Amino acid sequence: MRLRQSAHLRDLTAETAFTAAHLIQPLFVVEDLGEPQAISGLGDNLRLGMTAAADRAARDVEAGVRHFLLFPVPASKHPQGRSSHGPRAAEAIKRAVGDAAHVWVDVCLCASTETGHCALFDARGQIDLDATLEALAGMAVSLADAGADGVSPSDMMDGRTARIRAALDDAGHGRVPIMSYSTKFASQMYGPFREAADSAPQFGDRRHYQIDVRSRTDAIESSRRCAAEGADLLMVKPGITSLDLIGPIREATGRPVGAYQVSGEYAGLTLLAERGLTNFDAALLETWHVFRRAGASYLITYGARHARRLGMPA
Ligand code: PBG
Ligand code: ZN
């Protein structure tokens, strides 16, 4: 029932039409930021301070956006990735959009830890899974306390969906849905995002916890486990390079499966257009139709605020 409780959630997972209601607009909310800052390749997706982000969200709602995915970026790093900026950002954006939109917030540690990794490490330099899960669950609860309508764990740690679900339920947030980044690959396509979130790993890479693109079985199993742990919405990421998995994951889980058209994919379209090699709007719409054709229930895209201008129904 969790996914049937509001028109925002029902429209998000409706399967017979593809409309602006199926799109999710990411928003980077940067702590203590003065002037907005451009992000390479992401066009009008800027790094914004709290007030500017709230204004942007309010205008986006006017343009038809029904779902946001917030990426709170703290001003300073912390050894355990602690920050009160996330809840403050969730509260500010929720206040700006009210009931007109559903506000999802990304749950991860990489924007707030000194290491830039999506995990905490023990004294031997290994991932400290229990401490990481504890931190992620605490983050999810404080975001829900602050008014986030949904949480979206993107860390890829084993067992995080179950841990977050249990913590939310214990805190009285049984109605808050989880949109898990359930099939997330290690990828070269996250470059502009890491610039925007200041979240590039300071050593190594993320192949210890993100999925290897050659591993189809692991990719499907990862989503299946997330579903079994209580994820309401599943996701493949990057989008275009994961199209073949959307159908199989839906069949294996019976859950709605969305796609994340990630920063590198979007930047690819922007840069082609800047070089005069493609029509940006038409190319963007083309990719959206393909996601739908592949069976994506919903789509996270940096172009969601342009849906109406591109002719998508509300
Ligand atoms: C962090 C996170 C990433 C993205 C969403 N959450 C980057 C990463 O895993 O390095 C990528 C989104 C994008 O590229 O648009 N956990
Ligand atoms: Zn992360």
Side-chain angles (χ1 to χ4, degrees), residues 2 141 162-176 178:
R2 211 176 273 128
V141 169
R163 189 76 159 251
I164 288 172
R165 183 71 267 159
L168 287 172
D169 291 350
D170 284 349
H173 293 302
R175 292 168 72 91
V176 171
I178 300 176

Side-chain angles (χ1 to χ4, degrees), residues 26 28 42 69 71 106-111 116 118 152-156 181 184-185 187 189-194 197 199-201 206 209-210 237 260-266 300 302:
F28 295 99
L42 292 194
L69 175 55
F71 293 100
D106 185 84
V107 172
C108 202
L109 291 161
C110 51
C118 310
S152 194
S154 64
D155 51 280
M156 292 307 282
Y181 289 66
K184 175 172 175 179
F185 291 101
S187 172
M189 305 297 265
Y190 307 147
F193 175 93
R194 290 181 187 174
S199 67
R206 303 209 205 290
Y209 42 97
Q210 298 180 345
K237 172 188 174 198
Y260 194 149
Q261 180 172 47
V262 298
S263 57
E265 301 178 63
Y266 192 82
I300 303 170
Y302 294 94

Side-chain angles (χ1 to χ4, degrees), residues 222-265:
S222 178
S223 270
R224 208 192 47 71
R225 279 196 307 275
C226 271
E229 291 178 22
D232 299 287
L233 297 176
L234 304 174
M235 187 198 304
V236 296
K237 172 188 174 198
I240 285 285
T241 51
S242 309
L243 288 179
D244 58 317
L245 298 169
I246 294 175
I249 291 171
R250 204 190 32 232
E251 277 156 35
T253 63
R255 297 272 74 204
V257 183
Y260 194 149
Q261 180 172 47
V262 298
S263 57
E265 301 178 63

Side-chain angles (χ1 to χ4, degrees), residues 104-183:
W104 301 92
V105 187
D106 185 84
V107 172
C108 202
L109 291 161
C110 51
S112 51
T113 50
E114 285 157 342
T115 62
H117 277 285
C118 310
L120 302 177
F121 293 84
D122 63 19
R124 290 168 306 150
Q126 304 287 329
I127 287 180
D128 185 339
L129 185 59
D130 203 58
T132 303
L133 295 180
E134 196 60 33
L136 294 168
M139 242 172 141
V141 169
S142 55
L143 291 166
D145 286 344
D149 295 311
V151 294
S152 194
S154 64
D155 51 280
M156 292 307 282
M157 296 298 126
D158 286 346
R160 96 284 206 190
T161 300
R163 189 76 159 251
I164 288 172
R165 183 71 267 159
L168 287 172
D169 291 350
D170 284 349
H173 293 302
R175 292 168 72 91
V176 171
I178 300 176
M179 174 170 70
S180 274
Y181 289 66
S182 54
T183 294

